[in-house]
Amino acid sequence: MGLLSGKTALITGAARGIGKAIAVKFAQEGANIAFTDLVIDENGQATEKEIEAYGVKCKGYASNAADFAQSEEVVKQVKEEFGAIDILINNAGITKDGLMLRMTEAQWDAVIGVNLKSAFNFIHACVPVMMRQRGGSIINMASVVGVHGNAGQANYAASKAGMIALAKSVAQEMGPKGIRANAIAPGFIDTAMTQQLSEDIRKEWTSKIPLRRGGTTEDIANTALFLASDLSSYVSGQVIQVDGGMNM
Ligand SMILES: NC(=O)c1ccc[n+]([C@@H]2O[C@H](COP(=O)([O-])OP(=O)(O)OC[C@H]3O[C@@H](n4cnc5c(N)ncnc54)[C@H](O)[C@@H]3O)[C@@H](O)[C@H]2O)c1
């Protein structure tokens, strides 16, 4: 029996990276997996197959998480096709970095839309389902910069701070219904998102981390497993920094 046997998890932006690692980890623990991404191409189809190999149901849905109507439609389809939604992971995210003086309105709107509004869209659609089930676990993928800020990332940091406050507010509203909401704040994790950075910047970041390494997607997936499962049944409204001790 896995820690998530018989549960259904919905994970946004999970065709690759951290979202995919969470999907695989949850499938290993017995959860059925519904995931979204902008497109479900060969990559997404390979993810579906990889997950089904663990003997669970898996389906990828092509949708833009920043779009309210599309998100509602995905949640409706997942409910129909899987019968339940026990775990929601708001993971889809992008960066469009720039210093404040040079940041465009388009950069601001895109990042707030994909990183923050998407979480509102999915929580809004999933909460009625979880209320009828009398329970659920919601996890928002934030970032250490949502706690501490970061020069050159005002849009991204603000969106991630919003994800934290959103999780805390939902935890307060929905606790009486048995629904928990928490946030994970990853530090420097080795994915396509951080591979965009130069070697020098990557070295500089690593030198500031007490554990002297970047995190792996599995480091984040293990934390998500804790927050999604009954191991954390009395944990709600929290932010867990998974950053090798970079910020204390
Ligand atoms: N990598 C890190 O160091 C790091 C650190 C802190 C937080 N995070 C957060 O973790 C999450 C995952 O990041 P990652 O490193 O795996 O990034 P990634 O770029 O590898 O994966 C993000 C996924 O989201 C999808 N996506 C983008 N826009 C979307 C949209 N509008 N609708 C649906 N899907 C969309 C992408 O196609 C991609 O598959 C993000 O929220 C990111 O901000 C990452």
Side-chain angles (χ1 to χ4, degrees), residues 8-12 22 26 34 36 74-75 85-91 118-127 130 136-141 170 179-182 224 227-228:
T8 294
L10 169 56
I11 309 168
T12 65
I22 293 172
F26 283 16
T36 78
V74 168
V75 170
I85 303 172
D86 304 290
I87 300 154
L88 167 67
I89 316 258
N90 290 307
N91 170 77
S118 61
F120 164 72
N121 295 343
F122 275 87
I123 292 172
H124 188 266
C126 283
V127 148
M130 291 179 169
S137 175
I138 297 168
I139 301 169
N140 282 354
M141 201 55 66
V170 171
I179 300 169
R180 300 184 293 111
N182 292 286
L227 288 175

Side-chain angles (χ1 to χ4, degrees), residues 21 32 70 79 95 143 148 215 236:
N32 295 317
Q70 283 184 37
K79 175 72 179 72
T95 52
S143 165
H148 304 278
S236 197

